[in-house]
Amino acid sequence: MAKNMGVAVAAALSELNVEKAVNALLKWRDSHSQSQKPQLLEQDEFLYLIVSLKKIPQKARVNPIKVPLPHPIIDDPAELCLFIDDRSKSGITKDAASKKIKSENIPINKVIKLSKLKTDYKPFEAKRKLCDSYDMFFADKRIIPLLPRLLGKQFFKKKKIPVPVDLKHNNWKEQIHNACSSAMLFLGSGTCCVVKVAKLSLEKKEIVENVIAAINGIAERVPSKWGNIRSFHLKLLDSLALPLFQAMPDLRLKILADADHHTSSKEEKQEVEEEEDDTSHQKTKKKKKNKGRIHDVQYMDDQEHINDSNSEADRKHEINANISTKKKKTALKKLCPIDIKVKDKKKKKSLAA
């Protein structure tokens, strides 16, 4: 099933469509660059492939998936940095690593120990300078879980997360060369991923080859392959995203949903009809009971109930009257000593006179 789907997609996703998208983006870049101010340093722009999945991956990966490309994105004289594990159990020192790099002509410009990364690159500015000073970073496979806390957010924002390298094996050069000539797919906790696919300094044919190779490689490495891919879009950094592939909606799910909706509507209609029947049945019973009566008859129990209610009202009235009289008495008691004091003062004044 997956093979048939892959063949159908490959037929739909032709080179002509990719070429049209690349030409449109290059034309937009040329027209946009004329209106912009010239920059002091020319920066090489990249083409980005936006991958949309149908389902969120069950586990978010910190390490990127390597998708091989026919034409490498990173130039040969690129600035590369390697983080090594200098703990006692690792068995690798900085001197031994630098000697091996020189003897095998491995394109690594700087080797940084884990202990130095913890101490010298603690401030935010030091981390930012380190991130901007190198094109790509590599790290010993054993210290990859420790790096997100030590490097900070800047490396994750610029998609410069170190690529794991197994330094126990002797093929360091081969591992680094394969990583430099491949696109990095970061599967996070969402359905959308962005992959750097090609440089604009490459020729049009090379860009198209890189895009097609990236699409096929990503479709093979993603969980459940082509069945999990919703769409592919191609864009520059500031341009619109041009569609390359769009999956058809799953009609089987729609049919099932419609069937469930029909069954639920039938059940609701039956419930409404049953409720209407019950209400009509109760009304007919009431009519039968009232039939034959000319007027309401008052029984002795009803008169006793009326007398009880009248007596309760009288009791409440008496209680309220008693409360009001008590309040009046207390107010008079408070006023009496005040009047006596006033009279005593008048008597004293008269005697004094």
Side-chain angles (χ1 to χ4, degrees):
M1 182 73 183
K3 288 182 179 179
N4 294 332
M5 190 180 289
V7 171
V9 170
L13 189 69
S14 61
E15 288 187 13
L16 288 171
N17 294 331
V18 178
E19 281 181 10
K20 286 177 183 178
V22 170
N23 289 329
L25 291 172
L26 292 174
K27 282 181 183 178
W28 180 88
R29 195 276 309 264
D30 293 337
S31 63
H32 195 65
S33 61
Q34 289 175 3
S35 61
Q36 280 185 340
K37 293 180 181 179
Q39 295 180 355
L40 183 64
L41 297 171
E42 290 185 1
Q43 294 180 350
D44 198 358
E45 294 185 63
F46 292 93
L47 273 168
Y48 299 93
L49 187 71
I50 301 171
V51 186
S52 296
L53 305 176
K54 291 179 182 177
K55 294 179 182 178
I56 298 169
Q58 292 181 354
K59 291 182 181 179
R61 288 177 56 123
V62 178
N63 301 332
I65 296 170
K66 297 174 191 174
V67 181
L69 298 174
H71 308 286
I73 300 169
I74 298 169
D75 298 324
D76 291 333
E79 295 288 327
L80 305 178
C81 181
L82 177 66
F83 299 118
I84 62 166
D85 187 9
D86 63 336
R87 293 177 291 185
S88 58
K89 293 180 181 180
S90 64
I92 297 169
T93 59
K94 186 178 178 181
D95 295 330
S98 56
K99 281 180 183 177
K100 186 170 185 178
I101 287 163
K102 284 181 182 178
S103 63
E104 295 183 6
N105 293 323
I106 299 169
I108 296 287
N109 302 98
K110 179 116 180 173
V111 178
I112 298 172
K113 298 186 289 183
L114 182 66
S115 59
K116 195 174 182 182
L117 186 66
K118 287 179 180 178
T119 55
D120 295 356
Y121 295 96
K122 231 176 182 181
F124 176 76
E125 289 183 3
K127 290 175 183 178
R128 185 174 57 79
K129 285 179 183 177
L130 179 66
C131 182
D132 294 335
S133 55
Y134 296 99
D135 297 320
M136 201 168 182
F137 292 89
F138 297 91
D140 193 348
K141 194 178 179 181
R142 291 166 287 187
I143 62 168
I144 286 289
L146 305 173
L147 291 178
R149 183 173 56 83
L150 297 171
L151 295 175
K153 294 180 181 179
Q154 201 70 17
F155 281 79
F156 288 89
K157 280 182 182 178
K158 295 193 174 182
K159 300 294 182 185
K160 286 189 177 182
I161 301 166
V163 180
V165 178
D166 194 357
L167 299 180
K168 289 182 180 179
H169 294 286
N170 294 321
N171 60 344
W172 291 13
K173 190 173 183 179
E174 186 181 349
Q175 290 182 56
I176 289 163
H177 178 72
N178 290 335
C180 289
S181 61
S182 60
M184 299 295 163
L185 173 65
F186 295 91
L187 282 177
S189 58
T191 57
C192 189
C193 315
V194 181
V195 186
K196 204 184 283 182
V197 168
K199 294 185 295 184
L200 293 182
S201 59
L202 296 171
E203 294 181 1
K204 285 183 184 179
K205 191 176 180 183
E206 292 175 348
I207 292 169
V208 171
E209 288 174 359
N210 270 18
V211 172
I212 291 167
I215 288 168
N216 293 326
I218 289 164
E220 291 297 322
R221 299 297 300 275
V222 162
S224 68
K225 298 183 179 181
W226 281 105
N228 194 21
I229 287 171
R230 189 182 297 280
S231 64
F232 284 114
H233 289 77
L234 194 68
K235 75 184 289 290
L236 292 171
L237 188 64
D238 299 324
S239 71
L240 293 171
L242 301 179
L244 297 176
F245 168 74
Q246 183 70 43
M248 294 293 288
D250 198 352
L251 296 173
R252 186 172 59 82
L253 294 173
K254 191 177 179 183
I255 291 161
L256 288 170
D258 290 339
D260 294 336
H261 179 68
H262 284 306
T263 53
S264 63
S265 63
K266 284 180 181 178
E267 289 174 358
E268 287 175 357
K269 284 180 180 178
Q270 287 177 358
E271 288 176 358
V272 170
E273 287 176 357
E274 287 175 359
E275 288 176 358
E276 288 177 354
D277 293 336
D278 293 335
T279 53
S280 62
H281 187 63
Q282 288 174 1
K283 285 178 181 178
T284 52
K285 279 184 177 179
K286 285 180 180 179
K287 285 179 181 178
K288 285 179 181 178
K289 283 180 181 178
N290 293 329
K291 196 173 181 182
R293 279 189 187 176
I294 299 167
H295 56 83
D296 293 331
V297 180
Q298 289 185 355
Y299 296 96
M300 294 296 290
D301 295 333
D302 294 338
Q303 288 179 356
E304 288 176 2
H305 181 69
I306 290 160
N307 294 328
D308 292 334
S309 62
N310 292 330
S311 61
E312 284 178 1
D314 294 335
R315 283 174 192 171
K316 286 181 181 178
H317 185 67
E318 288 175 1
I319 289 162
N320 291 326
N322 292 328
I323 290 164
S324 62
T325 52
K326 283 180 182 178
K327 285 181 179 178
K328 285 177 183 179
K329 285 178 182 178
T330 51
L332 289 169
K333 283 178 183 178
K334 287 179 181 178
L335 289 170
C336 286
I338 293 164
D339 293 336
I340 291 160
K341 285 180 182 179
V342 171
K343 288 177 182 178
D344 291 336
K345 283 181 182 179
K346 286 180 179 180
K347 283 179 183 180
K348 284 179 182 178
K349 283 181 181 180
S350 62
L351 289 169

